[in-house]
Amino acid sequence: MTDLPAPPSRDDLPAYAQRLNPPQREAVITTEGPVLMLAGAGTGKTAALTARLAHLIAMRLAWPSEILCVTFTNKAAREMRERVARHMGQAVEGMPWLGTFHSIGAKMLRRHAELVGLQSNYTIIDTDDQLRLLKQLIRENDLDEKRWPARQLSGLLDRWKNRGLNPGGLDAVENESYANGRGEQFYRLYQERLKSLNACDFGDLLLHMLNIFRQHRDVLEQYQRRFKYILVDEYQDTNQVQYLWLRLLAQERKNICVVGDDDQSIYSWRGAEVANILKFEKDFPGAKVVKLEQNYRSTPQILATASGLIDANSQRLGKTLWTELPAGDKVRVIGVWDAPEEARRVGEEIERLEREGAPLDEIAILVRAQYQTREFEDRFIQIGLNYRIVGGFRFYERAEIRDALAYLRVISQPADDLAFERIYNQPKRGLGAKTLETMRRHARRTGLPLAAASLDLVDSDELPARARNTLTGLLKQFVYWRESAERETPANLLRLVLSESGYDDMLAKDRSAESAGRAENLSELARAMEEYDTLGDFLEHVGLVMDNDAQGDDEKVTIMTMHAAKGLEFNNVFLPGWEEGVFPSQRALDEGGLASLEEERRLAYVAITRARRKCTILHAANRRIFGQWTSSIPSRFIEELPDEHIEQETTMSGGASLWRANWSESEDPFAHVARDRPDRSTARGPGWQRALATGYETKPVRVAENKRSAASFAAKARTDVAIGARVFHEKFGYGEVTDQEGNKLEIAFEKAGTKRVIDSFVKLAD
């Protein structure tokens, strides 16, 4: 590579640097040595970082190919390229090392794959492929996958790789975390299987390179010489392997500039470690710390509120945000009676803002947990307020909610084939695709719904004995649930179904990070159903909610979690659910103690600083959890807000007598389920088919575009098949009819022996 020309005078700064404020400009022109750009919320850190990248190129301090610039998202990388091009007045070619951690790690690994036993054309497997591979390993090693799920092992592998741990580096605690001390064994088996497939997962992209750097000094030195400058965005979100990888690359020249905010480190559950940014000065002695404190987003009242709150954290570097914007309104803190009133109040406030000309696209509701969105969705449907869910599914579109609704739809309407197909094997019951195809074929031939066709099949030999027994048990459960629907509230019916179907057990055994949230969503669904007298009323309401998404590109209120809102901003922000146990999350506190409390406080700081003009915090005195009213106390974070910058308001529309009445409903909502329950332990008790048929008779259904009662579903015997007839069956071959009862035939097959089959599955032999 040719020598670079001498750089222009540093005093003659280009226009992009002149537009920056003094701290930003200092961060840009301090090119040599380690630099920590401590950038508070809304302080223009992206502008400073991209200006620094442009400056290094414009001043000819390095060729674009000699700069390593790492981001966390492809979107951030694209934005940086575009901004640099604007600064330079033209597109900048030759920036191969600007990208995400994973993309850069993959590029490096392609060049050195053989050093870790791979070929350069290795495959990067996704989560689904990983789970299939882990399930194979679990089966091959005689482990019970139900007790030790592949998803749990997948989460552990991700955690270990994020921490830079190889199979031999697990301590006793980590090794014991899977299969009673077999964690290291399965980690090693998994890595060996990946190598045999010439594949790696996302975690390997950096872990393999870290191992190469540690074991092959020449490779590390090659990259240390190549990268004259290193820039890192969102440094507070780095995990251990990313931190170790960067530290090795920067040790030679030490020209590393990291941008981040310790007060916005909120992703520990992804492996992020706030300690990485807190110890930057220790890792790089003599580092220059530049604090970006001038905020361009929020009013002074909002900034002062957020700053006062975050001051309660002990593990922080410290900075004070300020702005030249007008003072603005104080942050409002509103106490309401319960969650429904919370949703009503927010809806009223948004309608008022809309009347005053505020665009709905500039209004956001930020929640701590996804289950909180349900109350707002229902309320906004009622008042006709457009909304969108960002960073997740609408409440009623989530997989676990759709599963639960499918059970309820089959109970309410046995002819709902779509719902029955969704849950006939959910949770897994061993009823595979072949069983479903047999059910479908019989349903098409007879004009029966799937459930009725299944009822026909379990009394024949068309299905294997195990499938018949399993299907019989499921159909009997629907009989009982349909009977229970006549005496149970819709909410208690759902709880009964989730428990007896095995769905609750399935979630309990799923030790992934998502399982707890799925359980919370189902609890919220049950709570929603308490407002409806009948199952039919609730399902009708859900149908209206699901139909609400066809609203085109109209302006909509944004509903999202606080985590998903990081990096975004809105004129008006509502923060509901600020109560102990909800926010801060009790689950987070139980798992992480003081460290988790400080992260929850950082999350509150992030949420408040999403607001440009107005911020409203709400807390409810009562919430209904698992069917019982629970008295709530305001979040400790509310107590920590500076009094001079907030305006408190309480609107308790309920009364003490109502509270006492609700509180007195303390009987265990599940207690009556165990009382007077009929014994359903026998495989096929007398009269259970008739009970199922009764379910059909209670609801009109549409079959072949005609409404007809379940009485017409009774299977009719074929008139062209008689005793003594020679017939052919696709599965059992040729045989002779020896007995007939309705549409059931007893046939002596030439090779399969005597079987009981349904007449629609045979044809007369030629």
Side-chain angles (χ1 to χ4, degrees), residues 7-261:
S9 169
R10 298 275 181 96
D11 296 328
D12 186 20
L13 292 176
Y16 60 78
Q18 298 291 348
R19 290 193 294 267
L20 302 174
N21 64 37
Q24 290 174 326
R25 193 177 307 124
E26 183 181 13
V28 168
I29 65 175
T30 307
T31 57
E32 305 309 304
V35 176
L36 169 58
M37 200 186 307
L38 196 59
T43 57
K45 60 100 176 174
T46 303
L49 185 63
T50 53
R52 180 183 173 90
L53 177 56
H55 186 68
L56 293 174
I57 299 171
M59 295 293 103
R60 300 174 183 174
L61 298 173
W63 295 107
S65 60
E66 294 175 319
I67 303 172
L68 173 63
C69 186
V70 190
T71 68
F72 269 85
T73 66
N74 290 316
K75 179 182 177 182
R78 285 194 302 271
E79 182 180 357
M80 192 166 293
R81 287 181 186 274
E82 293 166 0
R83 288 200 184 197
V84 170
R86 287 198 296 271
H87 290 328
M88 304 291 292
Q90 61 182 357
V92 179
E93 302 297 333
M95 286 197 292
W97 304 106
L98 192 165
T100 65
F101 277 101
H102 285 128
S103 66
I104 292 173
K107 187 188 298 287
M108 289 181 173
L109 187 57
R110 295 283 178 200
R111 301 182 175 195
H112 310 285
E114 72 283 354
L115 298 178
V116 289
L118 297 173
Q119 300 173 34
S120 61
N121 64 340
Y122 64 82
T123 300
I124 304 172
I125 66 171
D126 60 19
T127 302
D128 288 340
D129 289 334
Q130 182 192 46
L131 288 175
R132 279 197 293 272
L133 177 54
L134 292 176
K135 287 178 181 179
Q136 291 175 15
L137 293 175
I138 290 170
R139 285 194 299 269
E140 291 170 7
N141 288 273
D142 299 322
L143 199 63
D144 183 359
E145 209 264 332
K146 291 183 178 179
R147 184 178 180 189
W148 301 103
R151 193 172 295 276
Q152 179 195 359
L153 181 55
S154 171
L156 289 170
L157 290 169
D158 185 57
R159 186 175 80 190
W160 294 333
K161 292 183 179 185
N162 284 342
R163 292 171 57 192
L165 298 177
N166 292 292
L170 301 187
D171 60 25
V173 174
E174 294 291 354
N175 189 39
E176 286 290 334
S177 61
Y178 187 76
N180 297 325
R182 300 177 69 183
E184 180 180 333
Q185 174 195 355
F186 275 91
Y187 189 0
R188 196 178 301 279
L189 289 170
Y190 173 67
Q191 293 300 101
E192 290 172 356
R193 184 63 59 86
L194 283 177
K195 287 183 181 180
S196 71
L197 297 171
N198 191 33
C200 63
D201 60 28
F202 281 98
D204 288 323
L205 297 176
L206 285 182
L207 182 61
H208 280 329
M209 284 311 305
L210 180 63
N211 290 334
I212 289 172
F213 287 165
R214 286 170 165 172
Q215 297 164 16
H216 301 273
R217 185 73 188 177
D218 58 324
V219 176
L220 174 61
E221 290 175 349
Q222 172 189 335
Y223 286 102
Q224 287 176 335
R225 289 192 301 269
R226 169 181 289 274
F227 298 133
K228 293 186 175 180
Y229 296 94
I230 298 175
L231 287 73
V232 187
D233 194 13
E234 303 286 6
Y235 191 66
Q236 79 282 346
D237 292 335
T238 54
N239 58 35
Q240 186 70 0
V241 72
Q242 291 163 345
Y243 162 79
L244 294 171
W245 180 79
L246 285 167
R247 195 176 66 174
L248 283 174
L249 287 171
Q251 282 304 310
E252 180 67 23
R253 298 181 185 269
K254 294 184 172 57
N255 288 335
I256 180 171
C257 174
V258 302
V259 183
D261 183 3

Side-chain angles (χ1 to χ4, degrees), residues 265-310:
S265 179
I266 58 174
Y267 296 121
S268 65
W269 46 279
R270 292 183 185 169
E273 296 191 17
V274 67
N276 294 345
I277 192 170
L278 295 176
K279 62 184 179 182
F280 183 82
E281 292 177 89
K282 181 180 179 181
D283 290 333
F284 297 95
K288 185 175 188 62
V289 178
V290 180
K291 296 184 179 181
L292 304 188
E293 297 174 305
Q294 183 176 359
N295 180 281
Y296 295 93
R297 174 191 300 158
S298 306
T299 65
Q301 298 279 20
I302 291 172
L303 292 181
T305 301
S307 296
L309 173 64
I310 200 63

Side-chain angles (χ1 to χ4, degrees), residues 419-457:
F420 189 75
E421 278 194 36
R422 184 179 182 94
I423 49 81
Y424 84 102
N425 195 38
Q426 178 69 347
K428 302 297 183 186
R429 301 183 174 91
L431 299 174
K434 289 184 178 179
T435 299
L436 178 59
E437 183 52 37
T438 302
M439 290 156 52
R440 284 173 173 164
R441 190 163 64 247
H442 184 50
R444 287 195 299 268
R445 288 171 176 171
T446 59
L448 293 171
L450 275 179
S454 304
L455 176 61
D456 236 0
L457 288 170

Side-chain angles (χ1 to χ4, degrees), residues 703-755:
V703 177
E705 301 181 352
N706 292 308
K707 285 189 176 181
R708 54 184 178 172
S709 69
S712 66
F713 287 164
K716 295 179 175 58
R718 286 172 57 178
T719 58
D720 61 337
V721 177
I723 295 176
R726 180 172 167 77
V727 295
F728 176 77
H729 188 283
E730 292 178 358
K731 180 178 179 182
F732 301 125
Y734 289 96
E736 180 180 321
V737 178
T738 60
D739 196 8
Q740 182 176 18
E741 181 183 344
N743 69 332
K744 305 293 193 307
L745 303 175
E746 189 173 281
I747 301 175
F749 289 100
E750 295 173 359
K751 295 183 179 180
T754 301
K755 301 288 184 182

